[in-house]
Amino acid sequence: MTRLSFLLLIATSAFAAASQPEVVVYTSVDQVYSAPLLREFEKATGIQVKAVYDVEASKTVGLAMRLEAEKDRPKADVFWNNEFLQTLRLNRLGLFTPSGIPSQALPQFLTSDGMWVGLGARARVFLVNKNLVQPEDYPRSLRDLGAARYPAGKTGMALPLFGTTATQAAAMVAKDGKTDTLLFFQKIKALAVRMLPGNSTVRDLVVSGELAFGLTDSDDAQGALDRGAPVEVIAPDQDTTGTFVVFGTVAMLKNCSHPEEAKKLIEFLLAAENRLVATGAFQWSLQDATCAMFPQGLKTWDIAPEKILEQYPVSSQEMRELFVK
Amino acid sequence: MIFSDGSSPAASPVAFFLGAGTRIWACLAVLFFLLPLLGLGVECLSRVVAGAAWELPSLRALGVLCTSVGFSLSVALAAIALGFFVAAGLQKKAWMPALLPALLILPFSIQSLTWAMVGIRLGGVFSQGWTAAFFAEMLAFLPLGIGIGTVALATLDEKLLEAAQVFRRNGAVFWQIALPLIAPVLLAGSGAIFLFSVLDFTIPSIFGCSVYSLEIYAAYSATGNPLIVALLSLPLIVLACVCLPILARMAFRAIRLTPPTQQTLFFVSPAWQTAALVTLGAFLLVPIVSLMADIGTVATFFRTLLDAQGEIVESLWTASIAASLCVLAGFPLALVCASFPSLRWVLVAISLPLALPPPLIGMGLLQCAKWMPYDAFDSWLPVFVAVTRFFPLAGWICFAMLQRIDVNALEAAAVFQPSKIRGFCFVLLPLSRRALGIVWLVSFALSLGELGASLLVIQPGHSLLMVRIYNLLHYGAAGDVAALGLFLQAIALLAGIAAVLLGKSLFRR
C-alpha cells in the first residue's frame, strides 16, 4: 500500500508538472533586468516562463536566426527584443501574428496591423568623466567626438559594425544621406577617436578614466550612474536635430504553442514598462512618452524604422569598408 | 608472432585492441562530426537556391586577413615559447599537474579581458595598438601554451639526451638536440592556438586593431546569413587545410620516433626554474588579485554563487557530459588512426571545425534538429555543440598518448589476453587512464567556456554560466563576474588535486 501511494504521488507530481501552463520567451533584454520581471509574471499568473536569453556580444542576431530557423515549428511564443531592426526583419518574413493587446505607444513605435509593439527605449548619449572634463567643455554634439579641445585618443565610441551603433549609422544614412554619413565617420577615424568592440567597453573605459567621454547607450550610462561612478550623461544635439533613440519591441510568434499565455505575458510586459525604466533597462517609456534620464524632455531623430532597415545593408557595407582595414 | 586471437602483428601494437565495436564506434564519431557540417551545407545550399545574397572576401578583407595571420601567428608562437619555458622550468614540481586544470578552466574571454584591462591600466604601449593586443592575447593563451609545452616535454628521449650530455654541454644539448626534437610538437600545438586566436576579434578591437574575424562577425551581425559567414570563413578554412596536414605530419613523426621515457631536464638550470616560477606566479597573481579586488565581501561572493546556482549546475553538467563524449569519441578514433597510418588524414580532417566561427557550428546543428521529427534531440544540442568543437582536440591528445604507451606491455597483452575486449578493458584502458583524464579535463575546460555556438542551441528554460557571465559583464557587475571566475578556478583546482592524488603524476611511471 505504501509503495502504491508513493507511485501515485510520483505520477501525480509528474502530471501536475506536465499540465502547468507555460510560455516560452526569447529575449535580448539583459538577463539582469528581464529575469526578475519574468519571475514576477510567474508568481502573479502561475504560468511558468521558459526563457532564452541573449548576450550583448551576439547583438540579438543569434536569437533572430533561431526564430527564423524554427519558423516552421516555432518553440518561442514571444519575442521580446531590446532593439527593433531584427524585429522588423522577422516581421517581413511573416514570423509574427497580432497579439491584440492595445498599446498607448506613439504611432512610430508600433505597426498598424499589430504585429509588434514598441516597449521601452534607449537613447544614444555621451557619458562624460567629470574628473577629466569640466562642465564648460562637456560635449554637446556628435561633431564633438575627436574635437581638438580633447586630448587625442581620449574620446571613443563603439564600432559602427554591429549593435545600436550600426543601427545609428544606418539611421544617419536615412536622415542625412550616405555621403554626409561617410564624411562624418571618415572624420571620426581621422581624428583618432577610439573605436571599441561594444558600448559597455566604452562605458568601462570612461568610468576608469581611460577616456574623457564616449558615445554609448543610455542603459550603459545608467549602469555607471547607478554604481556611483563620477560621470555625467549628456544627450547630444538637443539644440539641433536631437539624438537617436533605439526602442525595444515585443511580438507574438505565428503558430506558437501557447497563444493565450503569450498574450498575458505581452500584456504584463507592456504594463510593466515603467518598472523596466525604473530598473534602468530602458530610459524612455513609450506608453506615456516620458524619459526618466532627461525629465525636461528629449529631442530625438524622427525617422521611420522601416527606412532605417532599408539603409542598413548599405550602411553596414560602407562601415566595414571604412573600419575593417 | 601470432596473437592469442589468431591475428598477426599489424602496423602498430595497439591494432590488436581494435575490435569491430571500436571501429564502428569510431565511424559513428566521425559521422557525428560530419552532421553539423552537413546541416550547415544544406542550410547554405538552400539559401543559394532561394537566391539569397552572398559575398566572397574582398581584396581589402584579404589584406586584413594577412595582418590577422601575422598577428595570430606571433601570438601562438609567443604563447608556446613562454608556455614551454614555464612548463620546462616547473615540470619536476609535483603540484604542476594539479594546477594545470585551474589554469585552463577560466574561459579565454575572461582571461583576455582581464589582461586587456591590466594593459589599459598600465598605459603606454600596453594600452593601445598591436603591441597591447599581442600581450593581452598571448597571456590569455599562456595556460594552453603551458599544457602543450608539458605534452611536448613528455616526448623527450632520456637516453638520447644522456648520450648527448657525454659529448656536449647542457646548453648545446638543449639547443641542438632537445629543442629540435620537441619543436614539431610545439609547432603542432601552436597551430591550435593560432586557430583560436584568429577567430577572436574582441581583444584586438579593444586596442584599436582590425582583424579578419571582425569582418566575419560584422557580416554575421548585419545579415544573419550563414551562407555569407561560411563564404567569408573560406580563407580560414583554406589556411587550416594547408597548415594542418603539415603540422600533423611533423607531430606524427616526432611522436613516432620517441619511445616513452621518464623525462630528465638536466639542461634546466636553477635560474631557469626560478624564472619560470616567477613568471607563473605573476601570471596567476595578477588576475586573481584583480578578481578579488572586484569581488567585495564574502557575503557578496556567496550571494553571487547562489543567484547563479542554476546556471552553475547546468554548465558543469553539460561540460561533464560533453567531456565524457569527447573521450568516448576521441579515443576510439585515435585508436583507429594509431593502428592504421593510412587513416591519419581523418584526424586532420576532423580538425577543420576549429577554423570555423562557432556560430556556424550552432547553425549547422539547428538545421540538423529540424530534420528530427521530435524535440527530444534538442535538449542535447548544447552538449553536441561542445563535442563537435572540441573532440578533434581530444582525438589528437589521445593519439599522441597512444604512441607513448609501453610497447612491451601491449605486445604482451596481445599474446596473453584471450580476447580483444579483455585486452582493451584490462590492459589498454588502464595504461591510457592518465591520458584519458587529461583529455577529459581539457575538453571539460573548453566546453565550460563555449558560448558562440551554444547561444544558438540553448533550450528554453535553460541557461549556461557563460551567458550569465557575459550579461553581468555587459551590466558592469565586475564583482559578480570575479566571484564566478574564482569559483570556477577553485573547482578546477580541487579537481586537479583529486586527479593527482587518485592517480600518478603524468610524468612519473
Side-chain angles (χ1 to χ4, degrees):
Chain A
M1 195 62 193
T2 307
R3 198 177 297 171
L4 181 61
S5 307
F6 179 71
L7 285 171
L8 276 173
L9 181 65
I10 299 291
T12 311
S13 305
F15 179 73
S19 62
Q20 185 184 6
E22 64 180 38
V23 63
V24 177
V25 55
Y26 287 8
T27 178
S28 63
V29 175
D30 282 354
Q31 188 180 11
V32 169
Y33 303 118
S34 54
L37 205 60
L38 294 174
R39 277 199 296 271
E40 196 182 310
F41 172 78
E42 274 184 336
K43 279 186 196 151
T45 61
I47 300 174
Q48 187 186 12
V49 176
K50 291 186 171 178
V52 173
Y53 298 102
D54 198 5
V55 297
E56 189 215 15
S58 75
K59 322 291 182 193
T60 315
V61 177
L63 281 185
M65 290 189 56
R66 281 186 71 159
L67 287 168
E68 199 180 333
E70 293 167 1
K71 69 178 178 199
D72 295 329
R73 222 165 64 189
K75 286 202 183 97
D77 302 306
V78 173
F79 177 43
W80 180 18
N81 193 1
N82 68 350
E83 56 90 48
F84 59 88
L85 272 191
Q86 296 297 332
T87 305
L88 292 179
R89 192 177 72 78
L90 293 174
N91 190 32
R92 282 188 177 180
L93 293 173
L95 263 67
F96 303 137
T97 190
S99 64
I101 307 295
S103 168
Q104 307 301 319
L106 296 170
Q108 65 262 40
F109 301 122
L110 46 82
T111 56
S112 56
D113 53 10
M115 289 296 183
W116 54 264
V117 177
L119 176 58
R122 301 171 285 158
R124 298 286 290 163
V125 296
F126 285 130
L127 187 66
V128 183
N129 188 307
K130 290 196 286 192
N131 294 337
L132 298 177
V133 185
Q134 298 304 312
E136 57 271 20
D137 289 327
Y138 282 174
R140 299 289 172 190
S141 166
L142 286 182
R143 313 278 164 194
D144 288 334
L145 277 165
R149 65 180 187 275
Y150 307 108
K154 289 299 245 180
T155 63
M157 62 180 287
L159 282 161
L161 299 175
F162 22 68
T164 50
T165 316
T167 308
Q168 184 176 18
M172 287 174 81
V173 171
K175 178 168 80 74
D176 302 329
K178 187 172 126 181
T179 308
D180 282 354
T181 304
L182 267 179
L183 278 172
F184 170 78
F185 280 105
Q186 282 165 351
K187 189 178 163 201
I188 290 283
K189 194 174 173 187
L191 291 173
V193 172
R194 277 186 79 166
M195 308 305 286
L196 297 161
N199 290 308
S200 53
T201 312
V202 173
R203 173 203 62 209
D204 293 340
L205 293 189
V206 170
V207 167
S208 70
E210 181 67 19
L211 293 177
F213 74 89
L215 181 66
T216 186
D217 289 340
S218 55
D219 61 326
D220 292 299
Q222 185 69 52
L225 284 172
D226 290 344
R227 278 184 288 282
V231 292
E232 185 68 47
V233 183
I234 311 278
D237 298 305
Q238 289 303 288
D239 293 334
T240 52
T241 53
T243 189
F244 179 57
V245 156
V246 178
F247 62 92
T249 58
V250 65
M252 189 164 113
L253 278 294
K254 191 192 291 183
N255 300 325
C256 62
S257 304
H258 312 98
E260 293 310 312
E261 290 84 354
K263 288 174 186 171
K264 285 182 182 164
L265 178 59
I266 292 173
E267 191 176 17
F268 177 86
L269 291 175
L270 288 175
E273 190 189 39
N274 279 325
R275 267 185 292 145
L276 282 166
V277 171
T279 57
F282 299 103
Q283 284 65 51
W284 201 18
S285 166
L286 301 181
Q287 300 296 303
D288 55 19
T290 56
C291 183
M293 190 173 260
F294 304 101
Q296 69 277 15
L298 183 71
K299 196 169 181 185
T300 65
W301 295 357
D302 183 17
I303 311 168
E306 292 285 347
K307 285 204 171 124
I308 301 175
L309 180 64
E310 279 161 24
Q311 296 299 332
Y312 192 84
V314 167
S315 159
S316 163
Q317 183 65 33
E318 294 295 336
M319 293 301 117
R320 277 162 61 194
E321 295 284 337
L322 183 58
F323 287 104
V324 185
K325 57 167 73 169
Chain B
M1 175 187 285
I2 304 294
F3 297 135
S4 59
D5 64 345
S7 65
S8 52
S12 165
V14 295
F16 167 75
F17 304 96
L18 195 62
T22 314
R23 289 175 214 236
I24 291 170
W25 185 245
C27 290
L28 284 175
V30 173
L31 184 68
F32 187 82
F33 146 79
L34 283 177
L35 264 179
L37 294 191
L38 190 64
L40 183 63
V42 167
E43 175 67 26
C44 291
L45 203 60
S46 66
R47 297 224 179 206
V48 168
V49 166
W54 57 279
E55 67 174 274
L56 289 172
S58 62
L59 280 175
R60 169 195 55 81
L62 291 175
V64 175
L65 176 66
C66 293
T67 315
S68 296
V69 166
F71 172 72
S72 293
L73 203 56
S74 58
V75 164
L77 291 175
I80 284 288
L82 190 59
F84 168 74
F85 174 79
V86 171
L90 300 175
Q91 196 181 16
K92 283 192 183 286
K93 304 294 180 192
W95 43 262
M96 263 307 275
L99 190 60
L100 263 180
L103 292 175
L104 287 168
I105 200 168
L106 204 58
F108 166 75
S109 47
I110 298 181
Q111 298 223 35
S112 53
L113 283 171
T114 305
W115 284 108
M117 294 314 291
V118 167
I120 287 170
R121 283 185 194 127
L122 284 173
V125 294
F126 297 104
S127 67
Q128 207 165 351
W130 287 104
T131 308
F134 167 80
F135 276 108
E137 203 156 292
M138 187 264 294
L139 288 169
F141 281 119
L142 183 58
L144 203 50
I146 293 174
I148 292 167
T150 304
V151 171
L153 285 166
T155 64
L156 279 175
D157 186 344
E158 173 189 21
K159 293 185 176 55
L160 198 65
L161 294 177
E162 282 179 351
Q165 198 184 12
V166 173
F167 301 100
R168 291 279 186 277
R169 291 164 64 173
N170 289 351
V173 170
F174 171 69
W175 288 107
Q176 293 172 16
I177 296 169
L179 199 54
L181 281 176
I182 59 174
V185 178
L186 291 178
L187 284 173
S190 68
I193 296 181
F194 169 80
L195 287 175
F196 286 136
S197 167
V198 89
L199 287 175
D200 171 61
F201 73 90
T202 312
I203 294 309
S205 300
I206 285 178
F207 297 108
C209 308
S210 288
V211 289
Y212 188 71
S213 52
L214 187 61
E215 173 85 6
I216 297 176
Y217 196 79
Y220 167 67
S221 185
T223 65
N225 185 341
L227 175 61
I228 290 179
V229 178
L231 288 173
L232 288 178
S233 303
L234 268 180
L236 297 180
I237 295 170
V238 168
L239 203 61
C241 286
V242 167
C243 297
L244 281 174
I246 299 171
L247 294 174
R249 197 172 172 145
M250 292 163 71
F252 289 147
R253 194 173 296 151
I255 294 168
R256 191 185 63 217
L257 288 177
T258 54
T261 65
Q262 185 173 15
Q263 290 71 38
T264 185
L265 299 169
F266 49 82
F267 49 76
V268 177
S269 64
W272 184 337
Q273 291 179 42
T274 306
L277 192 62
V278 168
T279 305
L280 184 65
F283 173 78
L284 285 175
L285 211 59
V286 169
I288 285 178
V289 167
S290 170
L291 286 175
M292 289 183 75
D294 285 333
I295 278 181
T297 63
V298 172
T300 312
F301 176 78
F302 284 107
R303 184 206 29 93
T304 304
L305 295 188
L306 210 60
D307 287 345
Q309 59 181 317
E311 285 98 339
I312 289 173
V313 168
E314 178 124 22
S315 294
L316 291 178
W317 174 248
T318 302
S320 301
I321 302 289
S324 305
L325 285 177
C326 282
V327 169
L328 286 173
F331 189 64
L333 187 62
L335 192 54
V336 169
C337 294
S339 303
F340 302 105
S342 58
L343 289 179
R344 286 175 187 176
W345 62 268
V346 176
L347 266 181
V348 177
I350 61 165
S351 304
L352 285 179
L354 291 174
L356 286 178
L360 283 182
I361 308 288
M363 287 180 218
L365 272 175
L366 274 183
Q367 181 65 32
C368 292
K370 281 162 69 173
W371 298 335
M372 301 293 161
Y374 304 108
D375 293 342
F377 179 68
D378 292 355
S379 56
W380 286 85
L381 287 178
V383 171
F384 293 152
V385 142
V387 175
T388 304
R389 290 201 65 210
F390 303 124
F391 107 90
L393 282 176
W396 277 100
I397 298 173
C398 285
F399 176 81
M401 293 302 177
L402 276 173
Q403 305 300 303
R404 299 209 8 87
I405 291 178
D406 189 350
V407 172
N408 296 326
L410 294 177
E411 288 180 346
V415 170
F416 294 108
Q417 288 296 324
S419 68
K420 288 180 194 281
I421 292 177
R422 277 190 66 90
F424 185 89
C425 294
F426 295 111
V427 178
L428 186 61
L429 275 184
L431 287 174
S432 310
R433 68 183 187 281
R434 282 169 290 188
L436 296 179
I438 291 171
V439 168
W440 195 94
L441 278 171
V442 170
S443 305
F444 177 84
L446 291 172
S447 300
L448 200 62
E450 210 296 313
L451 179 66
S454 301
L455 270 179
L456 293 172
V457 300
I458 298 175
Q459 294 306 296
H462 298 262
S463 187
L464 295 175
L465 192 56
M466 286 307 295
V467 172
R468 180 173 275 266
I469 287 177
Y470 263 83
N471 271 290
L472 290 170
L473 274 173
H474 178 221
Y475 178 64
D480 290 11
V481 174
L484 291 172
L486 271 179
F487 173 72
L488 287 177
Q489 288 201 298
I491 284 192
L493 190 60
L494 285 173
I497 292 171
V500 169
L501 289 176
L502 282 172
K504 291 181 182 176
S505 156
L506 172 68
F507 307 113
R508 270 182 263 129
R509 280 184 187 278

